Amino acid sequence: MGGLNMRWLLASLGVVLLMAGLWLLLGVYQAGHTLSAVGGLVVMAASAWVFLSPKAYAYRYLYPGVVAVLVFIVFPAVYTTGIGFTNYSSSNLLSFDRVTAYMLSETTTADGAGMAFSLHQAGGQYRLKLSDEAGQSWVSPLIKLQDNKPQQLQLQALGTENLPEKESIKTVIAKQSALKALRVTLPNQTQPWRLSSLSQFSPTQLLYQKNADGSLRNTQDGSLIKPNFKTGFYETAAGENLIPGFKVNVGFSNFTRIFASDDFQGPMFKIFGWTVLFAFLTVVFTFVVGMVLAVVLNWEALRFRGVYRTLLFLPYAVPGFISILVFRGLFNESFGEINMVLNGMFGLRPAWFSDPFNAKAMILIVNTWLGYPYIMLLCSGLIKSIPSDLYEASAINGAGPLTNLFKITLPLILKPMMPLLIASFAFNFNNFVLISLLTDGRPDFIDSKVPAGTTDILVSYTYRLAFQDSGQNFGLAAAISTVIFALVAVLSLINLKLTRVNQEEKR
């Protein structure tokens, strides 16, 4: 009986989840995202088949992982790459159909005198009254003015009805946004009227009308605007772009701009070189510091080894962003403790944030501080796995500590550490948090027309292009992200190959 109840419970839960998923996909489809809705429907159908069909029982454990990889890794990568082939930006956000609909919905004040209006409250609702110069008046039904949703109102001629006292200008100002959303029409008229001032409604007309060839005609002056599917804008006869623009496919132009445009070529190659150097030096410094400390802490004669190990591991226990912000204060050029110490001892006050070389040195110092505990921990474990017989034989032959380090310890820990060092290189290649919190990429290049700094790495440069540039060029940022993804993918393949080689050598 209990098993039957559990089956009914699971079946009911499945039906509820299915209905909720269909309702969500319907909302996605109605919002205009047809491909996303279709993809979601395919995932739902596959999920239902895997978990309900006895034939798919063997796939139930593999399926969640596959779906997670497709949704959270493959789809974002493909979507970002796709954006890289478009002109998607802050001025080209919408589709062509939505931009056309926006243009066709624009209105302008038509020729003709406006009419004075007054607002009258009745039981928490309002009535609108329009009056012309001849003294004739029209009133609306009771309406709510609580939001800015567009409302269409049909006015009726005012008879002998007495309206409540009209509201003050203070109330009109408070309800101005809701009043602007009103479109009112008079009896036997189709032309809408709208708020044109705090005391007047004026007749309006559509600014554009669509022609058979797809162009739009301006109803005021008769001029034409035509869509340009190369630039993604409606253009006037003089070639002026009209906002908003629409998304179009631009092919490889974003990728060409990265490597060929003078505006991007200079900072791009400088930033790429610094990114590689930053990631490489970080790996070298963290490995050297971590390995040396691990060797020292492995010395049996060292007193208080446990205390030293705990203190040296603390930087890894503190959240990284907190350490970065602390170091930003310590390196402050005017009030930071580091400059105070350097000034007191050597008379130096380095410009850590305004000098490019000092800024890069500061970043490497902070990143080495953040990364060495992890390397130290790994090297400590690897050193303990080295047979003590090797060191005993070395001592018998009269070898010293440096010989043991370079002839025994380093060769035996370097190979198993290599995949981890490559992974560390790939991580620092995209270490956006460090750059953003510590220097924000500055100091900037003086001769650059795009937002780019001497301490920017590729990922922070991409962020500044996408969100800090005046144009917010998401398509170009996506193209750079695609290049970064390809570089990281190559590093991952190298990592896997080295891991496979190490496994074969162990066999």
Side-chain angles (χ1 to χ4, degrees), residues 150-204:
Q151 298 186 58
Q152 301 286 342
L153 299 178
Q154 179 69 45
L155 304 189
Q156 299 295 332
L158 178 64
T160 59
E161 179 182 1
N162 292 323
L163 295 176
E165 185 177 353
K166 71 176 183 179
E167 294 294 315
S168 64
I169 188 66
K170 181 179 179 180
T171 303
V172 173
I173 293 175
K175 300 293 183 180
Q176 184 178 5
S177 297
L179 288 170
K180 285 184 176 180
L182 297 179
R183 300 291 183 271
V184 301
T185 54
L186 302 180
N188 302 321
Q189 290 187 12
T190 58
Q191 188 177 48
W193 293 61
R194 60 181 293 185
L195 184 72
S196 57
S197 70
L198 293 176
S199 61
Q200 191 177 48
F201 266 66
S202 300
T204 59

Side-chain angles (χ1 to χ4, degrees), residues 312-393:
L312 291 171
F313 187 74
L314 281 179
Y316 195 67
V318 178
F321 75 95
I322 294 179
S323 298
I324 294 170
L325 294 177
V326 169
F327 271 105
R328 183 167 183 169
L330 293 175
F331 278 102
N332 185 280
E333 298 174 3
S334 301
F335 309 105
E337 285 77 1
I338 292 177
N339 268 12
M340 289 182 181
V341 172
L342 292 176
N343 185 45
M345 296 179 64
F346 309 105
L348 300 176
R349 299 186 69 90
W352 296 108
F353 292 93
S354 55
D355 183 82
F357 180 82
N358 291 340
K360 293 177 180 179
M362 175 183 63
I363 289 174
L364 290 171
I365 292 171
V366 175
N367 210 26
T368 302
W369 170 269
L370 295 174
Y372 85 82
Y374 176 66
I375 301 298
M376 181 186 71
L377 187 66
L378 294 175
C379 289
S380 297
L382 291 173
I383 290 173
K384 289 185 180 297
S385 66
I386 297 176
S388 59
D389 298 347
L390 297 177
Y391 294 105
E392 293 174 0

Side-chain angles (χ1 to χ4, degrees), residues 136 176 274 292 300 428 486:
Q136 189 173 4
Q176 184 178 5
W274 161 240
V292 170
E300 296 291 343
N428 285 289

Side-chain angles (χ1 to χ4, degrees), residues 41-298:
L41 188 62
V42 171
V43 172
M44 284 186 58
S47 302
W49 179 73
V50 168
F51 289 102
L52 296 178
S53 174
K55 297 180 179 179
Y57 187 85
Y59 301 106
R60 294 181 184 179
Y61 301 99
L62 184 63
Y63 179 76
V66 173
V67 172
V69 169
L70 292 176
V71 173
F72 297 110
I73 298 179
V74 176
F75 174 73
V78 173
Y79 184 73
T80 302
T81 303
I83 291 177
F85 291 93
T86 68
N87 66 338
Y88 189 37
S89 64
S90 57
S91 56
N92 299 84
L93 286 171
L94 306 177
S95 65
F96 172 70
D97 292 335
R98 291 186 64 183
V99 170
T100 302
Y102 172 82
M103 292 292 187
L104 293 176
S105 66
E106 282 197 279
T107 58
T108 183
T109 302
D111 295 333
M115 289 194 291
F117 87 94
S118 57
L119 200 60
H120 305 264
Q121 185 178 11
Q125 295 182 314
Y126 297 88
R127 299 186 73 178
L128 186 68
K129 176 185 174 184
L130 299 186
S131 302
D132 61 12
E133 295 180 352
Q136 189 173 4
S137 300
W138 294 266
V139 294
S140 71
L142 288 172
I143 56 174
K144 294 182 179 180
L145 296 176
Q146 297 178 348
D147 51 39
N148 303 333
K149 293 182 179 179
Q151 298 186 58
Q152 301 286 342
L153 299 178
Q154 179 69 45
L155 304 189
Q156 299 295 332
L158 178 64
T160 59
E161 179 182 1
N162 292 323
L163 295 176
E165 185 177 353
K166 71 176 183 179
E167 294 294 315
S168 64
I169 188 66
K170 181 179 179 180
T171 303
V172 173
I173 293 175
K175 300 293 183 180
Q176 184 178 5
S177 297
L179 288 170
K180 285 184 176 180
L182 297 179
R183 300 291 183 271
V184 301
T185 54
L186 302 180
N188 302 321
Q189 290 187 12
T190 58
Q191 188 177 48
W193 293 61
R194 60 181 293 185
L195 184 72
S196 57
S197 70
L198 293 176
S199 61
Q200 191 177 48
F201 266 66
S202 300
T204 59
Q205 67 180 16
L206 293 175
L207 181 59
Y208 294 105
Q209 289 182 346
K210 191 172 184 179
N211 297 324
D213 61 354
S215 62
L216 305 182
R217 182 179 65 85
N218 191 309
T219 57
Q220 288 187 310
D221 55 20
S223 62
L224 296 179
I225 61 173
K226 297 181 179 180
N228 187 329
F229 292 99
K230 292 183 178 179
T231 62
F233 289 97
Y234 273 95
E235 294 181 351
T236 63
E240 180 185 358
N241 294 333
L242 300 181
I243 301 295
F246 49 90
K247 292 184 292 184
V248 294
N249 193 325
V250 295
F252 289 91
S253 62
N254 287 324
F255 296 90
T256 303
R257 289 178 65 187
I258 294 173
F259 300 105
S261 173
D262 293 336
D263 293 342
F264 293 94
Q265 190 178 44
M268 181 69 183
F269 284 109
K270 292 178 182 177
I271 290 172
F272 176 76
W274 161 240
T275 303
V276 175
L277 183 64
F278 160 71
F280 175 76
L281 290 180
T282 295
V283 171
V284 172
F285 292 158
T286 53
F287 177 72
V288 170
V289 174
M291 184 196 65
V292 170
L293 290 175
V295 171
V296 173
L297 292 175
N298 197 55

